[in-house]
Amino acid sequence: MAMAGTTWRGVCAGVRRARPLLPGQQRSLLPGSAVALLRMRWTAAGKSRSRREAAEAEADAPVYQYVSERARRADRIFTWGFSYTGALGIPSFVQPSADGPAAGRKPRAIQPVPYRLEMDARISSVACGYGFTLLSSQTQDITKVWGMGLNKDSQLGFHRSRKDKSRGYEYVLEPSPVPLPLDRPQETRVLQVACGRAHSLILTDREGVLSMGNNSYGQCGRAVVANEIYSESHQVHRMRDFDGRVVQIVCGQDHSLFLTDKGEVYSCGWGADGQTGLGHYNITSTPTKVGGAIGGVRIVQVATYGDFCLAVSADGDLFGWGNSEYLQLASITEATQVNIPTHLPFSGIGKVKQAACGGTSGAVLNDEGNVFVWGYGILGKGPNLMETALPEMIPPTLFGLSDFNPDVRVSHICCGLSQFAALTNKGELFVWGKNIRGCLGIGRLEDQYFPWRRAW
Amino acid sequence: MGSLERSGLHGLFAVYKPPGLHWKHLRDTVEFKLLKGLNSKKQYTPKEHIRFLLAPKEGSERGELTLIAKNVPALSEHSLVLGVGRGNKLLTDIYNAHLTKDYTVRGLLGKATDDFSDEGRLIEKTTYDHVTPEKLSRILAVIQGSHQKAMVMYSNLDLKTQEAYEMAVKGLIRPMDKSPMLITGIRCLKFAPPEFLLEIQCMHETQQLLRRVVHEIGLELKSSAVCTQVRRTRDGVFTLEDALLRTQWNIHNIQTSIQKAAPRVEAELEKSQTIALDHPDPVGQSVS
């Protein structure tokens, strides 16, 4: 056998060899069975030598380090949707520069997929209003809040124009610091921002709540001034006389809700749909405590976006008030406006952990991680379900639950005017609803009738 | 074919292909044993046809199997589906059903090679002490998400219909035509740096693409990875338990195996035909 091996090697020496002979490569010099036998023999010897060499070369190769052991994932912000107002914070979308890659192009109307917004600071809270955006960081630096987008009602504060120092910008195209009249700007932290149609609220940890923007209906928590001009206004109002500390702020279209650490809710603003929940349909211009069914109940979360409001109690009960023209409160009343918080006795939704309101719909998340929707519009259960007065559960398989991944749960839900978004415990984002001007960010401009995984 | 019918040898069965064995040799051996078994019953048998699960994807695998046999044998072990007699037609149907396959893939962090496997030419070595199971599972979730999206894209469904919604609820959306490799599920079974074990459920795959997934995972982790082992654990309805070992390649075992698998194969083909007809008939997908 050894001699046969030698013969084979001898035969091969004459042939120019680029690499050792390996099984599968036929040499038609010898008959079938002999080839098989010799092939095995050749492989063993040749392979071990090249293997040794390869192993030695590998051990000598340098090791590259791309990230250190303690590398932490950087937070990132992405924006998408309608960009004409500058709300996305990328100036080149609205004003392609005269030179550079976007020269000569028209302004981009819609950004259909998420686009990275570079911010140096660590942003902890964002809020989208009607054509404007606020970003805030919990830093103790002077600059804590940035705003971009529409500023015709000074909802982003006053941004001095560089061309004319006496004027302010009506449109802010990139994240610009919002000047805040804080007593101790280097100690106070901004915890949360909220945006409505034309006003904004900023929640601080020790200086109360600041409000800016349109106050035609008292939504900024100060008295309505007849014929007040809101554009290029420097006015930032501070609200501090709450019983307790405010822990959450939400803005409806033209009203504001405040939740204190005692579990009490305050409201102010437009009330024609009863969205202030104070028992009347008038304007309220100072934050007033809300009673009704939530008086005495410890509320842990409030939600609103349009003219309909929801509140979640510590026990997992749900309360609603405001507009009910779209069956939001049809389960308890035929009236189209409800001006006092009322308990919503939905059975089958379990213990409510979080609620979110759209313009014409409502959604709740229970403690098992299931999402229930009701109201009118694209609710997320296909084109056939366009309205329902009672909550319907969205099948958890649509959020990625399967035999492969049995522990997927929804951890957070959010609503736009006619859109929904859900975040799962796996860190995946699902969106559905009407895709107005690409606001879903799915790359298409069509409506999405069931939860769609926002992956890129 | 008379004796064939009498012996009930029509249908599909799975065999276990040990690593390093060329699939052609396996097929020839099984054919030889079948013929021997039939001949021993002293009946006249015409020429048998045993066909492999032929498909373009298998074609490229064929080429790779040759490569694999050259290298470390541990690289691929498979359960392969063979068809006998009238089962050959079933093979075509099964292929057109576009069922998913399960693989366990073993990866090794810290190395990048040119063919994404352990035996290729070394390109780069990197550190991997920053890699944690959480980072890995986040990347796997991103991979799965983008492939799920691609599945819907390639399935050419109109997402605005109620049928599309119902199929999405049942997890049935998948392409019934040619498409690039699609991963329907991926998760990490074990993580012990530098080694990790992934379970991948995919369709229209090749071994090269699976190894490439491991390589890309390494890149996303800001390190590098190579694939050390690819093992098919399920092919449509056939799992590893159904696969016959080398010692069991005789006519009796093959018969029993065909009979056991027949009802499952039929059920799966029925369901797939309903889906392929674009019928709005929600049916459940079997996950075996």
Side-chain angles (χ1 to χ4, degrees), chain A residues 22-23 47 51 58 61 63-68 71 73 381 383-384 397 404-405 428 444 452-453, chain B residues 70 72 111 124-127 130 135 138 141 144-145 148-149 159-160 162 165 169 185-187 222:
Chain A
L22 303 158
K47 198 136 196 258
R51 244 181 159 185
E58 198 175 306
V63 179
Y64 290 87
Q65 182 184 48
Y66 289 105
V67 288
S68 67
R73 200 155 180 263
K381 294 189 72 165
N384 286 1
T397 48
F404 228 71
N405 294 316
E428 296 192 294
R444 293 175 275 126
W452 181 254
R453 185 188 261 104
Chain B
K70 274 194 254 172
V72 172
K111 259 199 334 184
E124 196 180 66
K125 286 205 309 191
T126 58
T127 60
H130 61 276
K135 289 183 187 165
R138 188 187 307 124
Q144 189 170 319
Q148 299 256 5
K149 207 169 90 144
L159 290 174
K160 294 199 271 215
Q162 185 70 14
Y165 162 70
V169 172
I186 182 168
R187 67 176 167 188
K222 303 220 181 5

Side-chain angles (χ1 to χ4, degrees), chain A residues 9-48:
Chain A
R9 212 179 289 137
V11 166
C12 243
V15 179
R16 191 170 63 92
R17 222 175 14 103
R19 54 179 92 159
L21 189 61
L22 303 158
Q25 286 178 349
Q26 307 259 351
R27 299 273 180 184
S28 49
L29 298 169
L30 295 173
S33 56
V35 171
L37 206 63
L38 291 166
R39 215 190 286 150
M40 296 274 287
R41 195 145 292 252
W42 176 254
T43 307
K47 198 136 196 258
S48 67

Side-chain angles (χ1 to χ4, degrees), chain A residues 47-90:
Chain A
K47 198 136 196 258
S48 67
R49 184 194 305 146
S50 66
R51 244 181 159 185
R52 237 182 306 124
E53 283 167 4
E56 278 166 19
E58 198 175 306
D60 288 336
V63 179
Y64 290 87
Q65 182 184 48
Y66 289 105
V67 288
S68 67
E69 199 177 330
R70 283 170 208 269
R72 214 186 43 174
R73 200 155 180 263
D75 290 339
R76 290 172 290 181
I77 301 197
F78 293 84
T79 54
W80 64 91
F82 185 59
S83 72
Y84 271 163
T85 57
L88 269 53
I90 316 281

Side-chain angles (χ1 to χ4, degrees), chain A residues 104 196 230 266 294 439:
Chain A
Y230 297 107
Y266 290 72
I294 63 174
C439 61

Side-chain angles (χ1 to χ4, degrees), chain A residues 12-340:
Chain A
C12 243
V15 179
R16 191 170 63 92
R17 222 175 14 103
R19 54 179 92 159
L21 189 61
L22 303 158
Q25 286 178 349
Q26 307 259 351
R27 299 273 180 184
S28 49
L29 298 169
L30 295 173
S33 56
V35 171
L37 206 63
L38 291 166
R39 215 190 286 150
M40 296 274 287
R41 195 145 292 252
W42 176 254
T43 307
K47 198 136 196 258
S48 67
R49 184 194 305 146
S50 66
R51 244 181 159 185
R52 237 182 306 124
E53 283 167 4
E56 278 166 19
E58 198 175 306
D60 288 336
V63 179
Y64 290 87
Q65 182 184 48
Y66 289 105
V67 288
S68 67
E69 199 177 330
R70 283 170 208 269
R72 214 186 43 174
R73 200 155 180 263
D75 290 339
R76 290 172 290 181
I77 301 197
F78 293 84
T79 54
W80 64 91
F82 185 59
S83 72
Y84 271 163
T85 57
L88 269 53
I90 316 281
S92 58
F93 285 177
V94 185
Q95 283 179 341
S97 55
D99 51 353
R105 287 203 213 134
K106 290 196 313 187
R108 193 188 302 205
I110 292 176
Q111 173 57 32
V113 285
Y115 192 92
R116 174 96 190 266
L117 179 69
E118 307 264 355
M119 294 281 302
D120 292 325
R122 188 147 184 218
I123 301 296
S124 61
S125 171
V126 295
C128 295
Y130 288 37
F132 65 102
T133 319
L134 279 184
L135 312 156
S136 79
S137 166
Q138 285 199 7
T139 175
Q140 281 184 320
D141 296 344
I142 305 281
T143 306
K144 306 171 201 292
V145 182
W146 294 260
M148 56 232 202
L150 191 62
N151 198 25
K152 287 195 170 179
D153 285 292
S154 301
Q155 53 264 62
L156 302 173
F158 185 78
H159 293 266
R160 197 176 297 279
S161 163
R162 258 175 263 166
K163 286 195 202 144
D164 181 353
K165 299 285 180 192
S166 61
R167 306 292 307 277
Y169 283 125
E170 281 194 328
Y171 292 90
V172 180
L173 298 185
E174 57 180 355
S176 306
V178 175
L180 299 175
L182 295 170
D183 287 337
R184 294 180 200 283
Q186 284 177 310
E187 289 172 21
T188 314
R189 292 184 198 271
V190 168
L191 300 176
Q192 194 204 333
V193 283
C195 299
R197 181 187 61 86
H199 74 292
S200 351
L201 297 177
I202 298 170
L203 175 65
T204 62
D205 60 348
R206 56 174 77 194
E207 293 196 36
V209 182
L210 303 167
S211 68
M212 324 182 280
N214 189 294
N215 192 44
S216 329
Y217 311 110
Q219 60 265 48
C220 285
R222 56 185 172 89
V224 179
V225 173
N227 302 323
E228 179 176 353
I229 298 174
Y230 297 107
S231 77
E232 298 175 53
S233 158
H234 292 255
Q235 185 156 19
V236 179
H237 179 66
R238 182 156 56 185
M239 292 168 276
R240 271 209 270 217
D241 48 346
F242 298 97
D243 186 14
R245 197 172 45 89
V246 178
V247 293
Q248 190 200 353
I249 44 169
V250 281
C251 289
Q253 191 154 353
D254 284 304
H255 69 287
S256 311
L257 297 178
F258 312 83
L259 175 68
T260 64
D261 55 353
K262 292 194 175 173
E264 293 168 342
V265 179
Y266 290 72
S267 71
C268 63
W270 181 239
D273 270 331
Q275 56 263 59
T276 44
L278 296 170
H280 57 76
Y281 294 107
N282 306 323
I283 289 172
T284 313
S285 48
T286 350
T288 318
K289 197 187 303 197
V290 178
I294 63 174
V297 176
R298 196 185 154 78
I299 301 292
V300 292
Q301 193 239 335
V302 283
T304 181
Y305 196 90
D307 295 321
F308 162 61
C309 312
L310 285 175
V312 179
S313 74
D315 297 326
D317 291 319
L318 194 61
F319 301 84
W321 65 97
N323 182 297
S324 180
E325 288 164 14
Y326 301 97
L327 308 178
Q328 296 100 316
L329 299 166
S331 56
I332 45 163
T333 174
E334 296 262 324
T336 50
Q337 278 88 14
V338 175
N339 62 6
I340 196 115

